[in-house]
Amino acid sequence: MNENKQKTDNTSNSTVNTILIKENKIIEQIMDNILMSKRELGVTLFPYDQFFKSYLIEIKHKYLVIDSLIPFYGNKILPKTEYIKINAESNKHEIDRHFLTKYKDEIVLGEEHNFLIYKPEEIVLIEKRSVLRVSTNDSDMAYVYIFYKNNNLFYIIRDLSWNSISFASEIPIETYYPLKNAMVKFVDKTIRMDLRVIHSTYAGGKYQTGCSITKISDNDRDLLINFMLGIERKNIRSNFE
């Protein structure tokens, strides 16, 4: 999927894995699944920032038909807003699907009010993780040293969990490539692990690269987890200051 982007989210919620889908065939499959499963939609209107619930009724060539919006106080006519954010959550797989679109037209059938919106050109899949993931910063820096195709490379780690790390590289790194005996340094500790590249996507002038940890000793994993918990404790304290 060359048109698709996958990255580890490094914003306020760092415990998710984000995949940007831009391939038309996959988008069609996702929309079909939402329609067939009758998945409830979350609809956010911009710039009003109002949240409603709705359902996907029909998929047309260039447009989608959604049901009238349902706030807590009953159905509401959709205002002609600039942007609309649509969410469709799958509890079974803990994946949230969302996309931005625009209002096209209102469809009135008797007392029913449905809405025509543009079909999305891209869909974001947000996979919720069940493990702690933390982002590094200036006071808690971590670095990774890897050997890749006869090159010794050194990168600052962006975020990490007990089973994965991510960093930005100047060169693309082959997906599924095994990075044996990688060295991770933080504070006064140095640990070693084997990694496997999950994605390496060009964004922001660099290749955002995520790796799973395929092999690590129990002692090194304990050191890694203690480092992560130290960052998490600081984050918790700062929220109460």
Side-chain angles (χ1 to χ4, degrees):
M1 297 186 296
N2 294 333
E3 290 184 296
N4 302 336
K5 297 179 180 179
Q6 180 175 345
K7 65 179 181 179
T8 302
D9 191 0
N10 194 28
T11 55
S12 59
N13 183 0
S14 60
T15 59
V16 299
N17 190 49
T18 303
I19 305 172
L20 178 62
I21 303 294
K22 301 188 73 171
E23 190 172 322
N24 290 336
K25 184 177 180 181
I26 299 177
I27 291 177
E28 292 289 346
Q29 291 175 349
I30 291 173
M31 300 311 303
D32 286 341
N33 288 339
I34 293 174
L35 178 63
M36 296 300 294
S37 64
K38 299 181 179 179
R39 185 77 57 194
E40 185 177 71
L41 302 178
V43 180
T44 305
L45 307 181
F46 300 102
Y48 308 99
D49 199 26
Q50 295 173 305
F51 180 79
F52 304 95
K53 293 181 179 181
S54 185
Y55 291 91
L56 179 59
I57 296 176
E58 184 181 355
I59 300 174
K60 295 179 176 290
H61 178 59
K62 294 183 179 180
Y63 308 104
L64 304 175
V65 180
I66 63 172
D67 197 1
S68 54
L69 306 185
I70 306 174
F72 292 109
Y73 49 82
N75 289 1
K76 179 179 177 66
I77 303 301
L78 178 67
K80 294 182 179 180
T81 181
E82 180 68 12
Y83 289 100
I84 305 169
K85 180 181 177 182
I86 306 289
N87 292 70
E89 183 175 358
S90 172
N91 294 326
K92 181 178 179 181
H93 301 291
E94 293 191 326
I95 295 177
D96 176 60
R97 303 166 173 84
H98 75 251
F99 58 89
L100 286 177
T101 184
K102 290 185 178 182
Y103 173 93
K104 170 61 177 175
D105 203 358
E106 182 178 350
I107 304 173
V108 180
L109 298 173
E111 296 182 355
E112 294 185 6
H113 292 264
N114 297 329
F115 307 105
L116 199 63
I117 60 176
Y118 288 91
K119 186 179 291 186
E121 296 181 357
E122 59 185 37
I123 291 180
V124 179
L125 306 186
I126 301 179
E127 180 184 4
K128 302 172 185 178
R129 297 178 183 268
S130 59
V131 298
L132 173 66
R133 173 172 290 271
V134 297
S135 301
T136 58
N137 52 48
D138 292 340
S139 61
D140 294 293
M141 298 295 290
Y143 309 88
V144 61
Y145 297 81
I146 60 175
F147 185 73
Y148 175 67
K149 295 187 175 180
N150 298 320
N151 293 305
N152 287 298
L153 304 175
F154 160 76
Y155 298 115
I156 297 174
I157 294 176
R158 296 173 61 246
D159 54 41
L160 68 166
S161 72
W162 66 268
N163 62 3
S164 64
I165 68 170
S166 72
F167 52 87
S169 62
E170 288 76 22
I171 62 172
I173 301 179
E174 181 181 337
T175 303
Y176 304 124
Y177 192 92
L179 301 170
K180 300 290 186 180
N181 202 30
M183 185 168 62
V184 172
K185 301 191 69 169
F186 50 84
V187 194
D188 58 347
K189 301 291 190 301
T190 299
I191 63 177
R192 294 185 181 274
M193 61 185 68
D194 289 349
L195 303 171
R196 183 178 300 277
V197 179
I198 301 302
H199 62 87
S200 187
T201 304
Y202 188 76
K206 290 190 177 182
Y207 291 89
Q208 308 302 324
T209 304
C211 302
S212 62
I213 300 173
T214 57
K215 183 179 179 181
I216 186 172
S217 69
D218 290 341
N219 182 65
D220 282 351
R221 193 183 297 278
D222 287 343
L223 293 174
L224 176 64
I225 292 174
N226 285 336
F227 173 65
M228 292 167 49
L229 290 176
I231 296 176
E232 183 68 5
R233 282 192 291 268
K234 290 180 182 179
N235 293 338
I236 293 173
R237 283 199 299 269
S238 65
N239 289 335
F240 288 94
E241 291 176 355

